[in-house]
Structures are given as C-alpha cells and as structure tokens.
C-alpha cells in the first residue's frame, strides 16, 4: 500500500545533502525530513561507540517525525551504526556503504578497488567487507583522507593546497593500480574533478550518493511504500547547531528548496527507545 | 591560605594541552585536572550558544572534581563563554584571550596587531575588543584560519600543503604590515615555525599558552591559592571520546605524565547548576 509519509535522512552535518539531491532528482514526489548534526560534526575521527550513540539520537529525531524509512547519508555513521539501527528501527534502513560497494564491484574489471573516506570509515573496514562479500577475490586498498572534509567545508575545491593534499593521499592508490575508486564520504563528490584528474581517465569514480538514491528507490518499490499524494511534497530540514549557516551552505547542494532550517536540541531528545518500537 | 586542590583546565580537545605544558613548567607543584571534549570537537565553527553550553558542561565536570580555579584553554570557548563562566563559578576563571591581548599590546610598537584563530574566535571580535581596551588606537587585523586545526591534527606541520594554506591565510596580514601576530588558537603553536618563516623576522609571535600560564600564576599568588603540599602533585586527564587516541597524541604535548585518560560522558553530566554554587 502506498505510504505518503516522508523519507528520513541524517548525516553528521551538511554533506548528506548530496544524497538528498540525488533522492529529489530520482523521486521528485517523495517528501524528505533531513537532520544534520552540526553541533557535533564531524563524526569521522570519533569512536565507534560515540558515533553509534549520535546516530541513534539522530534516528530518534527522525522517527519522532513519522518517517517511513531512514537513510544514513554518512559513511562513518553507516560504518558504525547501520546494523544496529536496522535491528532497532521498525522501518527500513539504508546506508551508503552497501550501494557504493555494489557499484564498485560492477565497475571493476581488475578486482583492484580503491576506497577513500574518513579515518572512522576506513578504520572500520566496512567497505573492504562489503566489497569482498560480493567479490571474494577483490583486493581493496583503503586510504583515510582526514583533510578532505575541512577542505570542502572551506570551499577550496581547486586550491593549490587541495591539489597537494589530494596528491599525497591518492599516490598510494595510483601505485596499487586500482581501476575503481569509491568516494566513501558524502563530502568527496565536491572534490570529484580534482580527484578524477589525479587518478586519470582509466579509474572509474563511484559516488555513493547516486547509488544510495537508487537503493532507496528499490526499497520503496519492493515494499510498495511510494508516495502517491498528487500534491507536491514539502521537505523539512533540521540541524543541531547554526541553522542559518546550514541553510546558506546547503543551498549550494540542493538549491532554493532549502529555505527554513529548524534548530533541534538532539542531546535533549537523546536516544528514545519508545520511538524505536513499531507503531 | 594555601589551597592544595587542583587547577581545572578544559579545551574542545587536545590543543589545550599546550597550556597545561606551560602550567607544569611554570608551577611544577600544582596538580591539574584536564578535560578535553573530544566527543564534540571542534568548537571553532560552532555557534556561540552551543559553545557556551558545552563550556558550561565542561566546567560542571571540573567543579565536580573540586578544582580551585578554571582555566579555559580554548580560544573559541573563551570568546563565547568566559564572561558567563566568571559570573557563574564560585572560583576564579582565566581564559586565553586577555593574556594574549596583553602580551600583544606589550610587544607592538606600531599598534598594528594581527590575530589568527578559528572562525568562532575571529567572528566574536573578542581579541579586537581586548586589544583596543588596552590600546585604543590599535588597528587589529583578524584572519580566520579554519584549516590550521585539521592540519595540526593530521601532523602535517611542514607539509607543502600546510605552507600553501598558511601563505593564503597570512598574505593579507603581511600586506597590513602588522608587527605582532597573536596565535589565537591553542593548536597554532605547533605551526609556529612555518608561521614565523612566512611572517618574517620583524613580526613578533604571541603564544597565548605561555601568557595564560603567567596569568594563572598571578591569580594564585594574588589570592594565596598556591599548592604547598610537599608531595609531588598527581594529575588527572579526561576526555569525552577516544581516550586512547587522546593519550597517544597528547603525549607529544606533555610527555609521559599523561598515562591514564578517563572517559567522561559529558552529556550525561550536563550543566549542573548545583556545582556552580559556592561550597
């Protein structure tokens, strides 16, 4: 039966809007509730336990807004909390790692796969596992790139310093002769041009955002959860800190659809077990 | 009357250990309780309200450990919360901004003062105010350097990329012909060599950490709060996330005195009004 409730999406901050952009483009009739945890961004360098707790709080907020599914639009949160949330939540949960791994496996011919991400994502080994579950002979070369997020947040997409940093990080992957590189962080598509230039034309870049949107569409289809309301959907954006800054930067991702940003005290919401039980 | 209780010090993360190092060197008989809010680091880009709340929670933790004064070893927290904490706490509060401003005023001959810091510190205008209160004719040129903290955390003190980033940030200050530059973030002393090289020999660099330690010493002296216990002091280090990583990186700041790091759930502590009242 169709389901007119919104899709819930969360991220440590603003990067998850790259996933929202793909969702809106692929499924323009779906309503979205987005939460960015800007009060505690970034998740990348933080411990699995802390990231898992923050993710449960974000999911609690989304569930309180009656969403029909939860999309974890953050690689670090997916690495540390996707399984737990899938167990806990009474709605489908989609992360960004499985879709990215699937696309990488489709694209590789040499089975030599590169992955870049935050220290948390790379340290978790989640991409390695997800790729080798599908392609047991694959060699996965993983490289943490902790400076990429701050560089993107500074807007230095083609600054000389960004190039030097990228060369330093990507050099080992070039030496390993990968033919696919997974951009394992929602911020990285904004550095795509620079990364493509350094990796060269023979390396396919996999952007998890687009793959994740396809996965979300498949899940809605499979469980017959599409929104069928003929009225145009309305979207909700919320952040745990600095909503005006979120709006101003966020517009470069999704445009004018981002007009009002709610401020949410996510620590006060906490992890509410009651919202995790089925309605 | 002498006071054998410890000095409380907090920071958004690990950078405040530069202040601890100076405190230990200047006052080897004082005990220290340090709290680094690694679960919510960085404070630099976050809103004044959120940074003020986090600072009150950190101070609550320190007060629960019976400290005789609170040192805010973080420029952003000082900018957004020093006045409020000084009002609320029943013990003396010392931030890093006033000592840095005082040293800059002493050092300048041209009254053209440069300041670098996080977006939050620079946006607050706190250094501008503190310098011009002492030297009304001063011209203060302030430059946010958001990538310096991630570069320090990556350990790239003399990487080519660090140089390009520093040149980009510092160029405008060179053009303004400042003769003093305040390193307005506790991470920046680790980039001191690079910054000195770019600014040239005619620009004095002011490191708030050393100045703050002198201020702490003055306050202890003034109120007769020195520790006189002949036993060597024991120190406590606590962090809200990833204590092992904190210890490993922290040792490069303060050495082997950093051996055990407690994990503290600062959100559970919250802001406890009762610890703010005098004993």
């Amino acid at each position: 039966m169709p389901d007119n409730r919104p899709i819930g999406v969360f991220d440590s901050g603003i990067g998850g809007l790259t996933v929202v952009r793909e969702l809106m483009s692929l499924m323009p009739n779906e309503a979205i509730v987005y939460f960015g945890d800007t009060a505690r961004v970034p998740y990348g360098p933080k411990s699995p336990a802390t990231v898992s707790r923050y993710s449960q709080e974000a999911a609690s907020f989304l569930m309180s807004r009656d969403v029909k599914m939860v999309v974890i639009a953050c690689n670090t949160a997916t690495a540390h909390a996707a399984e737990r949330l899938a167990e806990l939540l009474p709605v489908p949960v989609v992360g960004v790692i499985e879709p990215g791994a699937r696309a990488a496996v489709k694209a590789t011919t040499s089975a030599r796969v590169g992955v870049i991400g935050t220290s948390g994502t790379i340290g978790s080994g989640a991409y390695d596992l997800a790729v080798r579950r599908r392609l047991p002979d694959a060699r996965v070369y993983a490289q943490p790139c902790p400076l990429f997020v701050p560089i993107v947040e500074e807007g230095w997409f083609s600054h000389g310093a960004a190039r030097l940093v990228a060369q330093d990080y990507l050099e080992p992957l070039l030496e390993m002769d990968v033919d696919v590189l997974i951009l394992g962080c929602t911020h990285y598509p904004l550095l795509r041009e620079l990364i493509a230039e350094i990796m060269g034309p023979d390396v396919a870049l996999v952007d998890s955002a687009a793959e994740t949107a396809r996965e979300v569409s498949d899940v809605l289809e499979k469980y017959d959860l599409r929104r069928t309301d003929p009225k145009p959907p309305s979207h909700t954006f919320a952040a745990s800190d600095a909503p005006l800054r979120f709006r101003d930067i966020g517009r470069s991702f999704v445009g004018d659809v981002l007009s009002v940003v709610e401020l949410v005290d996510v620590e006060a919401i906490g992890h509410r077990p009651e919202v995790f039980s089925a309605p």
Side-chain angles (χ1 to χ4, degrees), chain A residues 3-214:
Chain A
D3 190 329
N4 289 323
R5 293 179 300 166
I7 299 171
V9 183
F10 79 88
D11 176 43
S12 59
I14 210 155
L17 290 175
T18 55
V19 174
V20 170
R21 184 173 55 192
E22 299 295 334
L23 290 172
M24 287 175 169
S25 143
L26 193 64
M27 292 166 283
N29 200 44
E30 294 294 334
I32 287 167
V33 178
Y34 182 90
F35 172 70
D37 195 4
T38 47
R40 304 187 293 196
V41 71
Y43 287 180
K46 287 164 193 166
S47 72
T50 291
V51 171
S52 179
R53 181 158 53 87
Y54 290 173
S55 300
Q56 288 181 50
E57 291 173 0
S60 292
F61 166 71
L62 293 175
M63 293 306 295
S64 77
R65 297 299 172 97
D66 197 22
V67 298
K68 64 184 168 188
M69 77 185 292
V70 167
V71 180
I72 311 175
C74 169
N75 284 266
T76 311
T78 301
H80 297 323
E83 277 188 47
R84 186 81 185 117
L85 287 182
E87 266 172 32
L88 290 172
L89 298 184
V91 298
V93 173
V94 171
V96 285
I97 289 180
E98 293 296 330
R102 192 163 52 229
V105 166
K106 251 187 247 165
T108 186
T109 55
S110 68
R112 300 176 75 82
V113 175
V115 186
I116 54 178
T118 66
S119 306
T121 300
I122 298 305
S124 76
Y127 271 108
D128 190 55
L129 204 69
V131 167
R132 287 195 294 122
R133 200 153 48 210
R134 292 178 168 82
L135 188 63
D137 292 340
R139 302 289 294 270
V140 180
Y141 301 97
Q143 171 73 39
C145 302
L147 280 173
F148 276 180
V149 169
I151 283 171
V152 167
E153 303 248 323
E154 183 74 333
W156 283 6
F157 306 129
S158 53
H159 192 282
R163 179 173 305 270
L164 280 188
V165 169
Q167 276 164 345
D168 198 295
Y169 287 146
L170 300 176
E171 189 63 42
L173 297 171
L174 278 170
E175 277 169 23
M176 289 306 148
D177 208 22
V178 301
D179 72 345
V180 171
L181 178 64
I182 302 173
L183 308 182
C185 172
T186 48
H187 278 78
Y188 296 180
L190 295 165
L191 292 172
R192 189 185 184 108
E193 243 174 84
L194 179 61
I195 295 169
E197 201 183 301
I198 293 171
M199 296 306 293
D202 298 335
V203 177
L205 301 187
V206 170
D207 168 358
S208 320
E211 300 302 330
T212 302
R214 271 189 281 277

